[in-house]
Amino acid sequence: MTDTKQPPETRVVLPVDPTRRTEIDKQRVPMSARPYRLLALVKQDAVVRIQKEPDDTVMTWPHLLSIEFLAAGMMSIFLLLMGLFINAPLEELANGNVTPAVAKAPWYFLGLQELLAYFHPTVAGVLTPLLVLVGAALIPFVDRGNLTATRPSERKTAVILFTLFCALGLTLTFVGIFFRGPGYSFVIPYLPFFENSSPGLHFSL
């Protein structure tokens, strides 16, 4: 009796019917046809990468908050002095039978009211505010020197135009508050040696 070895069983993979191939079957590529690449091993510098901070930054405290605290203190002292030395008396009780005097506009509209003393209402009340708004919107298109600049010293054109606008508005408001009296006439407050001086500010015209 001879001992004959049975050949090992081999697994036969039948080809897939092309009409029944799935996406997985389409991605199956023989080992001999797969391209391989050797990748270099790059060593990482650190587990946590720390980015370098900008050199021109400062801490909020004490650099920023100390300046803001100083500005708030100076403004509080200024308002206290205004309340002590400027006479702003209350008027009498309202009487429906008596028409009150025409009051001044609020301080944020006194600049426009001051313009009405020099120009036609159409110019002072319509054209001037429209030109201011349109001009403020056009400032970024006029100042095209350095579009990526973030410092005021690098945007001189825009800063100069906006400063002129603020200076003009504050001057008109300042004149309307302090130097306009009854009938919207020009007066000089707190200087009795002038002929048109007044003892205080006027809130009605």
Side-chain angles (χ1 to χ4, degrees):
M1 183 174 180
T2 60
D3 187 10
T4 59
K5 286 187 176 182
Q6 297 289 337
E9 294 182 359
T10 58
R11 185 178 180 182
V12 179
V13 180
L14 298 177
V16 181
D17 187 3
T19 60
R20 301 179 58 186
R21 294 182 66 188
T22 62
E23 290 296 328
I24 299 179
D25 296 329
K26 294 178 182 179
Q27 296 177 3
R28 289 177 179 172
V29 181
M31 295 291 292
S32 59
R34 292 182 181 180
Y36 289 92
R37 294 182 180 179
L38 295 178
L39 300 179
L41 180 62
V42 179
K43 185 178 180 182
Q44 190 176 2
D45 295 338
V47 177
V48 179
R49 188 179 298 275
I50 302 175
Q51 296 183 357
K52 185 179 179 182
E53 297 181 354
D55 297 332
D56 57 347
T57 58
V58 295
M59 300 297 293
T60 303
W61 173 259
H63 301 281
L64 176 62
L65 293 182
S66 60
I67 297 175
E68 291 182 351
F69 180 77
L70 180 61
M74 293 177 62
M75 182 58 66
S76 300
I77 294 173
F78 173 73
L79 293 177
L80 178 62
L81 295 176
M82 290 278 288
L84 290 176
F85 294 103
I86 293 181
N87 184 22
L90 296 177
E91 296 183 354
E92 61 274 2
L93 294 177
N95 186 358
N97 297 323
V98 178
T99 302
V102 179
K104 281 186 180 180
W107 67 268
Y108 42 85
F109 283 142
L110 269 178
L112 293 177
Q113 191 175 13
E114 182 66 21
L115 284 176
L116 289 172
Y118 308 109
F119 303 104
H120 190 271
T122 304
V123 177
V126 179
L127 295 180
T128 300
L130 182 63
L131 290 176
V132 169
L133 294 177
V134 173
L138 291 178
I139 285 179
F141 300 96
V142 174
D143 185 16
R144 306 285 293 181
N146 188 0
L147 299 179
T148 61
T150 57
R151 297 176 179 273
S153 59
E154 299 174 355
R155 304 295 299 271
K156 294 182 179 180
T157 304
V159 171
I160 290 174
L161 292 177
F162 192 75
T163 302
L164 291 176
F165 162 71
C166 290
L168 179 61
L170 290 176
T171 301
L172 293 174
T173 304
F174 185 82
V175 172
I177 293 175
F178 294 97
F179 296 96
R180 290 297 181 178
Y184 214 72
S185 60
F186 188 81
V187 296
I188 300 178
Y190 304 111
L191 295 177
F193 46 84
F194 283 99
E195 183 179 356
N196 57 344
S197 64
S198 63
L201 301 182
H202 295 272
F203 298 93
S204 59
L205 304 176

